Every structure is written in C-alpha cells, then in structure tokens.
Amino acid sequence: MKKFVTLAIIASLTISYTVPCFGIEDINTVTSEQITTQTDKQKKKETKIKPVKNKYEYINMGWWKGFDDELLEGYLIKAVENNKDLKMATISVEEFYQEIAKQRASELPSIQGGFMPGYGSFTGESHENFAVPLIVSYELDLFGKNHNKTTAKRKLYEASILDEKASYISIASAVGSAYINIVRLDSMIELQEEIVSLRHEIMNMMLISNNEGIASTSDLVRANESYISGVTDLTELKKQRTQLLHAFAVLIGDSPNNIEEFKRTNWREFAYKGIVPEYVNSEIIMQRPDYMKAEKMLEKAGIDVKVARKECLPSINLGGGVFFNALQIGSLFTTSNALWGLGGGVMHKIFAGGRIKANLKLKKLAYEKSLKNYEKVNLTSMQEVNDSLVAVNMDREKLSKQQKILSLEEQDFNLNSLKYDEGVISKLDLNQRKENLMNVNKMVYSSKFDCMIDYINYYKAVGAKA
C-alpha cells in the first residue's frame, strides 16, 4: 500500500514538455528582427511608473493658481477628494497591482496540505485511519517565461497608473471648464437682464408714442417682439446655468440639490494671470499620460511575443511530497508512518492543433497593432497641442480686436449721451445705443472666457505640465 501511495505522489509531480514549434519563421507578419529592434528601443527609454501618494501632483495645482481664485482651487480640491470616477480609477490601479501579486505567485513554490480521516481495511481488518498529505511543487523558470509574464502584468499596472493620472487631469479640466462656463453664464445673464430692462423701457416708450400718434403700431409690435425675445433668451441662459451647476455638482462629488450654495468669483474680476506660450517644444507630448501609456502597452506587447516564443520550450516542474498515514492520530507524525517522494517525468504534446503557432502569430499581430497605436498617439498628441496653441493665439487676437470694437462703441455711446443731454436725440435713441453697447459687452466677455477655456485645453493637451 505504501508503495502505491509513493507512486501516486511521484505521478502527480510530472514534468510537462511541449513539442517545439515548426514553421514559425514563415509567418507573414512582423519579423523577429523588427520586434527585437523595437523592443530594444523601448528599453533604452523605459521608465518605471509609480503611483503618487499626493494626488494633487497629478493635476499640478500650481498651474491653477494662475487664475488667482481661491473658490476655483477649493472646488478642484473637493473634486480630487470626492469625485467618484477618480475613486474608481484609484481602485483600478489597486486591482492591477493585485494581478501582479497573483502572477508573481507562479514564480514561487506551491505547497498543498490536507487532513483526511477515514475508515477502511488495509491489513484484512477494518480500522479508522488518519492521513496528512503535503505536496510541494515548483515550476523551474529556467527560460524566464513566468518572470516575463509578471513583467507584462507590471506593464499593465503602470498603464493603469497613467490612466489614473489621465482621469485626474480630465476631471480637473472638466471642473475648471465648468466653473468658467458658469461664471460666463453669470456675466451673460447679468448683461441680458440689463438688455431686457432696456427693451422693456423701449417698449413702454413705444406704447406712449403710439398712443400719441408719434410711433406706428408696427414699431410697437417690433418693440414688444424684441422684449419677449430678450426674456426668452434670458430664460434659456438661466436654464443652461442651472443644468451646468448640476453637472458641476457631480464633478465635485456634491449633491445637485446644493447648487444654490456654490459660490463663484465676480465675473468682471475673473481672469487668468498665468502665461501660456505661443510655441512649445514637440517633446512636451512625451509627458502626456496617453503617450506614456502607449509606450507601456508597446513594451508589454513585446514581452507577450517573448512569452509566446517560450511556450515552445519545455515547462519544467520540480516537486515532492510527504504522506503521513496512521491508524491512530497520536502516532500520525512519526517516521515509520511517513512516505516521501521526489519525482518527475516528461510529457509531450505531440499534436496541439496549431495552437502555439497561432498564439505566437496573434502576439506578433498584437505587437504590430500596439506599434501603430503608439504612432497614432504620437501624431494625435502633437495635433492636440498644436490645436490648443492655435486656439489660444487666435482667440487672443480675436479678443484684442473685439476690445477695440468695445472701446469704439463706448465712445459712440458717450457722444450720444452728450447729444441726449443737449436734447438732440430722444431717450429712445439713447436706450437703443445702450443696448448695442450691452451686446458688444456680451461678445467681448464671451471671447474672454473662450480664451480661458483655451488655456485649460492647452493644460490638458500637455498633460498638466504647462
């Protein structure tokens, strides 16, 4: 019986061996030399990515101080602390870390043990018996296959850290853009209220003039229509601000029911005092999270090809076992009741249906796809940085010209005010000139806030390293 148990232990510790692949080099895809060259290039600039304890490092709070707005900074802090998407991104990083720990276990020995009480006949008589098997197994990583798999998992972990960073930058940009647009709507609503007040006054004047026969009914109808249109526009602006405040509340992890408590700076004083350059070095894209992630995924794809090649090599398992078996539990752990064994064997998969060959081809194709994605991210990153700089420079130029228009409109209104004081023009004419001035003001302030949104787009395009 003991010999039988010993043989069973040895049989459970068999060395498995896979028949080497044939015809691999005729696969019409990325060649081995190309893969090796690209992977070596990646190794030269490979850097380890580690999570940061202070998540504010991701969003570069120093850049946001350029707005000189404590309220905005407070909302950014609140978003970092409470935003649910950011919480999930952090959890995802921890999940990938545990995947590393799980894969690393394949590089370490495995020990299994148990306790098996039973009842049976071994010597002709039936007795109670107790058994304790202990089995140790270890796959000798002679060719580094398991280590490569662990390294591949680490690349995914580092990519998840970069995804987390990208999420923080994206949420910070969304919070900043939403806040600026809310302040923009504050300005539009206040100016629109002045316009509505002027149109209401104009309508009343038209009504009086019409009653006195000075103005036609057609003029009165147009004035009334203009007033109603202004009220409608005002209602639409208020609706947009309320909806944006609801979205803003979700971004900072607050309840939409609390939007009345959200303070913001005076729109007339709000401005960005930082510096956005007209030109930047193209290497700035290398600090973008998506660019760095594309690098990590390319590195992982190269490792996956190595692993697929090593699948053609034998898998060597070492191990042993101890089996304690006794009729009485008190004498269980004695040398006379112990069996032990070390064993191994060789097994061939003589036919695997082309699985290993197909897997290698798939990994090569995945590497080629990762390489193309890396090139695409490179081009897309440059495009986004260039687009953001073009928007900044063009909108600055547009704002400068609109400010000149505003200055001319103010001069015109002041001249008409003098004419009104001298009795040359009527109050109706003066109100119409003032409405024109309010509309130009709306245009200028809207462009001013467009420039600030452009600055945030630039901040996002360069990976928060502006």
Side-chain angles (χ1 to χ4, degrees):
M1 181 61 192
K2 289 186 176 181
K3 290 182 178 180
F4 175 78
V5 173
T6 303
L7 291 173
I9 294 174
I10 293 174
S12 68
L13 304 172
T14 302
I15 293 179
S16 61
Y17 176 79
T18 304
V19 175
C21 309
F22 296 101
I24 294 299
E25 296 305 328
D26 63 351
I27 297 175
N28 186 21
T29 180
V30 183
T31 66
S32 175
E33 290 75 18
Q34 288 175 316
I35 291 174
T36 303
T37 301
Q38 291 294 340
T39 305
D40 289 342
K41 287 181 180 179
Q42 292 304 315
K43 282 183 179 179
K44 290 179 182 179
K45 56 182 178 180
E46 181 178 342
T47 56
K48 288 187 177 181
I49 306 297
K50 297 180 180 180
V52 299
K53 293 182 179 180
N54 184 2
K55 302 301 183 181
Y56 298 104
E57 292 181 21
Y58 284 148
I59 65 173
N60 187 8
M61 285 296 292
W63 185 87
W64 292 98
K65 292 186 181 296
F67 287 99
D68 193 22
D69 188 343
E70 293 183 357
L71 293 174
L72 174 57
E73 292 176 27
Y75 288 129
L76 287 169
I77 292 172
K78 197 170 182 180
V80 169
E81 297 294 331
N82 301 320
N83 183 272
K84 307 309 176 187
D85 288 327
L86 298 185
K87 298 294 183 185
M88 289 189 288
T90 301
I91 292 173
S92 294
V93 172
E94 181 61 24
E95 286 178 337
F96 279 100
Y97 182 78
Q98 295 305 322
E99 287 290 337
I100 296 177
K102 179 181 175 182
Q103 175 58 38
R104 191 184 291 124
S106 64
E107 299 183 49
L108 302 174
S110 173
I111 303 175
Q112 299 181 56
F115 177 65
M116 299 185 296
Y119 185 83
S121 175
F122 294 96
T123 60
E125 298 181 7
S126 298
H127 297 280
E128 293 181 351
N129 61 85
F130 303 91
V132 175
L134 291 174
I135 299 175
V136 179
S137 61
Y138 173 60
E139 181 178 353
L140 183 62
D141 199 18
L142 183 63
F143 307 108
K145 181 178 69 175
N146 289 331
H147 180 70
N148 287 152
K149 289 181 178 180
T150 302
T151 304
K153 290 291 184 180
R154 181 171 293 280
K155 296 301 177 184
L156 290 175
Y157 168 64
E158 292 178 348
S160 71
I161 295 173
L162 294 168
D163 280 337
E164 180 190 30
K165 181 179 180 180
S167 296
Y168 272 84
I169 294 173
S170 179
I171 293 297
S173 301
V175 169
S177 298
Y179 180 84
I180 289 171
N181 281 320
I182 290 169
V183 177
R184 181 213 300 266
L185 286 168
D186 287 342
S187 69
M188 296 298 105
I189 288 171
E190 186 171 329
L191 291 171
Q192 186 65 24
E193 285 175 342
E194 292 185 34
I195 291 173
V196 168
S197 178
L198 284 171
R199 290 182 181 181
H200 185 263
E201 188 175 346
I202 290 172
M203 185 185 68
N204 289 336
M205 289 179 180
M206 283 293 185
L207 180 60
I208 295 172
S209 298
N210 179 260
N211 290 336
E212 294 178 355
I214 301 174
S216 65
T217 303
S218 179
D219 291 334
L220 176 60
V221 169
R222 281 196 294 270
N224 191 21
E225 182 182 355
S226 179
Y227 168 70
I228 294 173
S229 176
V231 172
T232 302
D233 291 342
L234 179 60
T235 302
E236 178 63 23
L237 289 171
K238 289 181 177 179
K239 183 191 78 172
Q240 292 177 10
R241 182 175 66 180
T242 301
Q243 291 176 337
L244 191 53
L245 281 166
H246 289 160
F248 185 73
V250 174
L251 284 172
I252 62 175
D254 205 337
S255 171
N257 295 328
N258 299 331
I259 60 173
E260 298 300 328
E261 301 174 7
F262 295 168
K263 297 180 181 179
R264 49 258 189 201
T265 193
N266 187 299
W267 58 272
R268 296 182 186 275
E269 300 173 358
F270 190 54
Y272 181 69
K273 300 175 183 178
I275 298 175
V276 176
E278 293 185 4
Y279 306 97
V280 294
N281 193 312
S282 60
E283 292 182 358
I284 199 168
I285 65 171
M286 297 176 68
Q287 56 199 5
R288 284 172 52 118
D290 59 339
Y291 182 92
M292 297 170 70
K293 179 186 176 182
E295 283 186 335
K296 293 300 174 185
M297 297 308 293
L298 182 58
E299 292 167 9
K300 177 190 176 296
I303 294 170
D304 287 342
V305 173
K306 287 184 178 181
V307 172
R309 285 190 175 279
K310 290 176 182 179
E311 293 288 348
C312 302
L313 301 173
S315 176
I316 304 173
N317 294 305
L318 304 177
V322 179
F323 190 89
F324 295 95
N325 186 28
L327 299 180
Q328 297 181 1
I329 194 169
S331 61
L332 183 61
F333 297 102
T334 60
T335 55
S336 61
N337 290 321
L339 297 174
W340 64 274
L342 295 172
V346 177
M347 292 203 48
H348 274 196
K349 288 184 179 178
I350 298 175
F351 178 71
R355 179 183 62 83
I356 297 175
K357 180 179 177 180
N359 182 59
L360 178 56
K361 184 174 181 180
L362 281 172
K363 295 305 179 183
K364 284 186 174 183
L365 292 172
Y367 181 88
E368 186 176 9
K369 185 177 179 181
S370 293
L371 181 59
K372 297 305 178 185
N373 180 65
Y374 174 76
E375 294 170 353
K376 177 186 174 183
V377 171
N378 189 1
L379 295 174
T380 303
S381 299
M382 288 191 289
Q383 176 203 340
E384 290 179 358
V385 172
N386 288 333
D387 286 349
S388 66
L389 286 174
V390 167
V392 166
N393 294 325
M394 292 297 181
D395 282 345
R396 278 174 176 171
E397 183 179 349
K398 183 178 73 173
L399 176 61
S400 177
K401 292 178 179 179
Q402 289 177 342
Q403 287 174 331
K404 291 180 180 178
I405 295 173
L406 176 61
S407 178
L408 294 172
E409 194 67 34
E410 287 175 342
Q411 292 179 27
D412 181 64
F413 177 73
N414 291 333
L415 290 173
N416 280 282
S417 294
L418 292 175
K419 290 180 181 180
Y420 172 73
D421 293 339
E422 295 174 359
V424 178
I425 62 173
S426 66
K427 179 68 172 176
L428 177 61
D429 292 330
L430 182 64
N431 283 350
Q432 289 173 337
R433 293 289 188 275
K434 189 174 182 180
E435 182 181 340
N436 291 339
L437 179 61
M438 291 296 101
N439 283 322
V440 175
N441 260 301
K442 285 177 64 177
M443 177 181 67
V444 169
Y445 275 102
S446 181
S447 294
K448 178 182 175 182
F449 290 114
D450 282 340
C451 287
M452 284 188 259
I453 296 295
D454 292 338
Y455 301 152
I456 292 180
N457 290 335
Y458 168 76
Y459 156 89
K460 186 177 181 181
V462 298
K465 298 297 183 181

